[in-house]
Amino acid sequence: STTQSQSHHEIIPHSDSSSSQSSSSKTATNVTTLSASIPDSILNNKNLQNYIKQIPSNYNFEIEKTVWRIQQAEATCVALQMPEGLTMFATMLADIFREFCNVEVFIMGDVTYGACCVDDHIAVALGCDLMVHYAHSCLIPVSSCKMNILYVFVDIQIDLKHLIDTLKHNIPSDKKIAMVSTIQFVSSLRAAKNDVQTYFAEAYIPQAMPLSPGEILGCTSPKLDNKYDYLVYVGDGRFHLESIMIHNPKVPAYRYDPYSKKFTVERYDHEQMYEIRQEAIATAQRTGRKWGIILGTLGRQGSPRILSHLESLLKERNISHIVVLLSEIFPSKLALFKDVDVWIQIACPRLSIDWGYAFDRPLLSPYEAEVALKSTEWKEVYPMDFYSRDGGSWSVNYGTAKKEKTPEERALAKKKLKEKMKLMRKKKKSVSIGEATS
């Protein structure tokens, strides 16, 4: 729920007898790095395939790959983490891995809002040596986790023909569209682009690094060029969609729900949101004698770098502050801290935007805190860049954006890659000849 108007009206999708068939059009196969190396003993295991058949065929849990990864890691204890919408499959997955990998399995039942909630710390404490995190992208790099992590996107196949027909039926062919979705439907998005890009003036899949092309989060989305006539979001719900609507207030938005097959116009009251958030900032500036900084402890939500940055800003201004660790933030909890005038939460920026009005004192996001402390100016477009590599100083990955290479540097890198691939093929060929000789 948000404080903004969520009014929308339904547009009747193009009716086609063939498109009404359940998931008749297949999406592109989810690309995985381990797939090519999975042994036949796993791929052709009839008992394993019988288990897999119990799961809806349009949900790709990449079970064979997971079994192979568990075996490769020689894991003895595995943690499974997934959002509540997939919990219905948790015990079945646990049974499969116990049966075919001979491991102990823990199902992590705490709330999982997104990839920022990867809870490797708890899994390590439980003695697990591998965690499988479902339905979110690799937002937290595997290299920075405390244990082996396998991300399974859970690609969901949808009725691709119905999506394409609906877009063609409702949007004029001379328009330029940008297409986004959550990670579950990214492969469908790419498959649809191959068809619709020949129909529309332009069909574009934007990217906010380090996310995948087309993927958006509730706190992170790409900034579009105003040349695009429409934004098309493929997915259910509005939380992720609102992120890119906030970040692109001048681009009209549509939502295609792959479950209900409804195509709707979506609206967001930007002016009301700006008014509410600017009032919270003004109140913080007016009444803020003692500030509290909340570091989110739900998985990896909290950013120590942002905490250090905000503490420096407060110290420079001689503002008294405390740091509180919380896994979830509720008005009743913060109300217990009677002497804190202003709160900054380093957990999810949307908590301040969507629910800030419910707290009796200002609950600012890191960006809003910087505005209140006059470290940055209020932006004409509210930034949705919390995990973007191009984000501001209030974002998690601030300063990690790679410098764009010159044409000469790109040519040199391409040449080196070709030489490396050539050398690898030569080595592979010499190994094959040696095996044949022996």
Side-chain angles (χ1 to χ4, degrees), residues 17 81 148 230 264 268 358 372 435:
S17 59
Q81 187 181 28
N148 290 323
Y230 297 106
T264 53
Y268 189 92
E435 289 175 348

Side-chain angles (χ1 to χ4, degrees), residues 21-38:
Q21 296 174 4
S22 176
S23 301
S24 60
S25 299
K26 302 295 183 180
T27 61
T29 304
N30 193 30
V31 178
T32 59
T33 56
L34 290 175
S35 294
S37 61
I38 300 174

Side-chain angles (χ1 to χ4, degrees), residues 236-401:
D236 59 325
R238 275 181 54 102
F239 181 70
H240 296 84
L241 169 61
E242 286 176 354
S243 168
I244 195 166
M245 291 174 74
I246 291 171
H247 212 176
N248 299 275
K250 295 182 180 180
V251 184
Y254 289 110
R255 173 166 63 98
Y256 176 82
D257 187 326
Y259 299 111
S260 67
K261 295 185 178 180
K262 290 182 179 179
F263 191 62
T264 53
V265 171
E266 301 291 331
R267 298 185 178 90
Y268 189 92
D269 194 337
H270 295 85
E271 294 305 319
Q272 185 186 30
M273 187 269 278
Y274 295 161
E275 182 182 340
I276 292 171
R277 300 318 305 150
Q278 287 176 324
E279 175 58 30
I281 291 169
T283 301
Q285 292 173 326
R286 187 172 61 251
T287 64
R289 291 176 297 277
K290 185 172 185 178
W291 292 46
I293 306 177
I294 302 168
L295 184 68
T297 58
L298 186 63
R300 294 297 195 100
Q301 273 194 341
S303 167
R305 189 207 68 77
I306 296 177
L307 172 63
S308 177
H309 172 62
L310 292 173
E311 282 194 290
S312 297
L313 293 179
L314 291 169
K315 288 174 182 176
E316 288 170 5
R317 291 156 179 75
N318 296 315
I319 297 175
S320 174
H321 73 279
I322 60 168
V323 177
V324 178
L325 307 183
L326 282 176
S327 59
E328 295 201 72
I329 303 169
F330 297 108
S332 58
K333 176 70 74 173
L334 299 192
L336 299 174
F337 296 86
K338 303 293 186 184
D339 59 336
V340 176
D341 304 305
V342 179
W343 290 100
I344 311 170
Q345 55 89 13
I346 310 171
C348 177
R350 290 292 296 279
L351 180 60
S352 296
I353 296 171
D354 296 352
W355 291 103
Y357 72 94
F359 293 78
D360 61 359
R361 280 156 283 180
L363 180 70
L364 307 181
S365 68
Y367 158 66
E368 294 168 351
E370 288 206 23
V371 175
L373 295 170
K374 300 186 184 304
S375 176
T376 192
E377 297 291 327
W378 173 265
K379 310 296 180 185
E380 182 181 353
V381 174
Y382 195 103
M384 283 285 108
D385 60 357
F386 196 58
Y387 281 97
S388 171
R389 287 182 185 163
D390 296 318
S393 54
W394 51 81
S395 63
V396 174
N397 293 316
Y398 175 68
T400 63

Side-chain angles (χ1 to χ4, degrees), residues 13 48 221 397:
L48 176 59
S221 55
N397 293 316

Side-chain angles (χ1 to χ4, degrees), residues 397-411:
N397 293 316
Y398 175 68
T400 63
K402 294 181 180 179
K403 181 184 175 184
E404 189 171 345
K405 293 181 179 179
T406 64
E408 293 77 14
E409 289 173 329
R410 287 197 295 269

